[in-house]
Amino acid sequence: MKNNLRKAILTLFLVVTSSIGFAQGPGGQNPNDNLTGDNDFSGTTPAAPVDDWILPFVLVSAAVGYYAIRKKYSNSTV
């Protein structure tokens, strides 16, 4: 159990730190610095509305996690 907890904490840490590295900054910092190759990123593109979906994603992920843990322990006691 202790080893599983360490793996879960390490995985959570890696996911959080990698999401910071891939986060989209405010648009229009450098019009020539575009990964897709076209230089049409002038900063007029609206930001993605991620803030609206944070709470639903947290609630759904907590429910799925609770379901998975409950299912795992209910199968192991049989």
Side-chain angles (χ1 to χ4, degrees), residues 15-76:
V15 166
V16 168
T17 55
S18 68
S19 66
I20 292 171
F22 293 115
Q24 177 183 358
Q29 293 173 345
N30 185 1
N32 295 325
D33 188 21
N34 192 358
L35 296 177
T36 60
D38 52 37
N39 292 329
D40 138 272
F41 190 66
S42 61
T44 59
T45 311
V50 176
D51 294 342
D52 298 338
W53 291 96
I54 289 177
L55 184 60
F57 282 148
V58 168
L59 294 175
V60 167
S61 62
V64 169
Y66 175 76
Y67 173 75
I69 290 173
R70 186 166 170 106
K71 184 177 178 182
K72 178 180 176 181
Y73 284 119
S74 67
N75 288 341
S76 65

